[in-house]
Amino acid sequence: MRKYMSIAGISIKNSLVYRANVTGRVIFYFVFIFIFFSLWSVIYKGNEIAGYNLTQMVWYICMTELVVFCSGSGIFGSMNHEVKSGSIAYQLIRPWNYIFKKFAEMLGTITFSLSVFTIMAIILGMIFVGPLKDFNPVAIPFIVLSFLLSITMNFFLLMSLGLLAFYFEENSPFYFIYTKLLFVFGMLLPIEFLPVWAQGILRFLPFSLITWAPAKMVVDFSFDHVLKVMPLQAVWCVAAVFLAQFVFSRGIRKVNIHGG
Amino acid sequence: MAAIVLDKLSKTYKVKVREEGLKSALKSLVKPTYKKVEAVSNVSFSVEAGEMLAFIGPNGAGKSTTIKMLTGILHPTTGSANVLDYNPVKDRRKLSYQIGAVFGQKSQLSFHLPPVDSFRLLSNVYEIDKSEYEGRLARLAELLELGEFMNTPVRKLSLGQRIRCEFAASLLHAPKILFLDEPTIGLDVVVKHNIRELITNLNKEENVTVFLTSHDAGDVENLCRRAIVIDHGKVALDMSVKKMKYDYLNKKVISLRLKAPAAIPEMDGVTPIKVTPYAAKFSVDTRIAPMGKILAALDSENIEDITIEEPPMEEIIASIYKGNRKGGKKE
């Protein structure tokens, strides 16, 4: 455990070096929220759509963006690069579990960006639409847990996709498809906007569990929702870890092809 | 005791074959054809504990593949490897506590942080006690003359400073075997010399087994007693560096400075390189023209100065590669 804590520690230090990078993403985050705020203000005329009012909608997008901005942390790109360049080989001569080493690194990196973006999200929400009326502090621990599950799940899924570089010469289409699915199935719109039959399927899939599940918990908290999504999040989270480990340990036998 | 044993180690890769043209591109999409490439084939040798071995060969000869199999990164296709009584593939993590590696072209230090941070991280990764770590670091700092720049971000270090830190990072956990992959690449003469001295010291003081690959003949010559030349995945040559020099070193270069103009001896096996009235440089094939005969043919009264040089290791290695390319071992 100590080694992984240490890895996370180094990674925090490292992430502080990339201040310009964070600044750039903060600006991008602001632009994104601003555009959606403008869009939703035109669409909403003091009414509710699919159970969400304007305030909730803007907070919703603030939250889904928060997950996506923080949990990616470039893991797909870094895996892809390490496999293709063969430099992954040199990470394997250390006494650590490689995928958990990467996870620890990510935790370090996001400690900083998650704090920055959480503050950003709250400030922007407050500026654009003001506080959520029915927000209950009781919800906070559940929200935090749900976010952590989302981030972990997203991380290991992205990692698995990156590790597909072991098997495919070009794996970026998978990444493209995955991010677009995240975008349409939960990030852009709550799944309540979609037909009921589609909702029935989507609520079991990782895409909406990563975005919709925690964001809805923020804007419209209910224990009913927690009970519905959190066990599924936990199951997908574990599944994603196993998937990454599986893809990794099978792929590692093929490591030779690149840069032998 | 043998530290590393390779027994008929082989590694075959499957590589997708791509032919030219759209038609075959489409065909390979449906039914890809594979070609088998033997990166390493039937390699057997062993390295004694405390030995310094040069493992050399041209690019693509199978050096890295072999190292990767010895460190447990790659699974051998057939044959087996035994490193410090571990099976590298099965016991990769256990083995990793015992081995260290420096790759001249890759860095294991965090680019933006001072090396000390990376050292501390590694001490945790290798589960080294705090007090033990401090002692070890102090010793390495002294040995490598790490000084103040340990606290400077890596990106601001010179290559020589960085590579010394790379060595420190690889040695913190007191590995029994050190894999060095072109450790002196790109270094200036002074730093190269320092690094070689360091490796020699380590080998002497801690009996570290060194497995060195390098394209730098100086590394081989100065560090290793034994060299294995690998080419096309096969062991082309396994002999002492001394014998290698002797066998492939039937050429010597003689430079003369003369008091009065004179001609160089004319006999078979003597090739002039540069001749001026008061100086001469020529190479001698000692198999044809023994040194004694050459010296006897010279007018010793007329010689102001004489230098007899051995050809540089580069040439020896090049001639081995070439000989091997032409077919078969050169006995």
Side-chain angles (χ1 to χ4, degrees), chain A residues 9 72 75 121 194-195 253:
Chain A
I75 183 63
L194 300 170
R253 289 170 202 202

Side-chain angles (χ1 to χ4, degrees), chain A residues 2-3 6-7 10 13-14 17-18 87 89-90 92-97 169 253 255-256 259-260, chain B residues 11 13 16 18 64 68 73-75 92 96-97 101 103 106 108 110 112 117 121 124-128:
Chain A
R2 192 181 72 161
K3 56 179 93 169
S6 185
I7 292 164
I10 277 278
K13 277 197 188 171
N14 240 330
V17 179
Y18 299 102
S87 68
Y90 303 118
L92 297 176
I93 55 164
R94 301 250 187 253
W96 55 37
N97 176 313
E169 278 152 40
R253 289 170 202 202
V255 74
N256 55 62
Chain B
K11 179 78 193 176
Y13 297 147
K16 226 185 225 173
R18 275 278 160 80
S64 305
K68 282 178 187 162
I73 296 165
L74 274 184
H75 297 227
R92 180 162 59 80
S96 64
Y97 286 96
F103 302 103
K106 300 219 158 75
Q108 52 187 328
S110 292
H112 293 287
D117 283 341
L121 168 69
N124 285 327
V125 168
Y126 286 100
E127 296 160 29
I128 308 167

Side-chain angles (χ1 to χ4, degrees), chain B residues 85-98:
Chain B
D85 286 330
Y86 289 113
N87 175 341
V89 170
K90 274 194 204 145
D91 307 312
R92 180 162 59 80
R93 280 177 74 180
K94 272 186 220 152
L95 179 63
S96 64
Y97 286 96
Q98 311 283 340

Side-chain angles (χ1 to χ4, degrees), chain B residues 7-77:
Chain B
D7 186 21
K8 292 181 189 142
L9 201 66
S10 301
K11 179 78 193 176
T12 317
Y13 297 147
K14 264 199 324 190
V15 180
K16 226 185 225 173
V17 181
R18 275 278 160 80
E19 277 154 43
E20 275 178 57
L22 183 66
K23 203 178 146 195
S24 49
L26 285 173
K27 201 180 132 201
S28 89
L29 206 62
V30 186
K31 195 185 161 205
T33 43
Y34 292 96
K35 190 175 72 180
K36 277 192 176 172
V37 175
E38 278 201 346
V40 173
S41 83
N42 236 354
V43 169
S44 305
F45 61 85
S46 66
V47 185
E48 292 299 307
E51 196 179 344
M52 294 212 263
L53 173 79
F55 191 62
I56 50 187
N59 290 325
K63 288 180 309 233
S64 305
T65 308
T66 308
I67 291 192
K68 282 178 187 162
M69 284 194 278
L70 294 180
T71 45
I73 296 165
L74 274 184
H75 297 227
T77 315

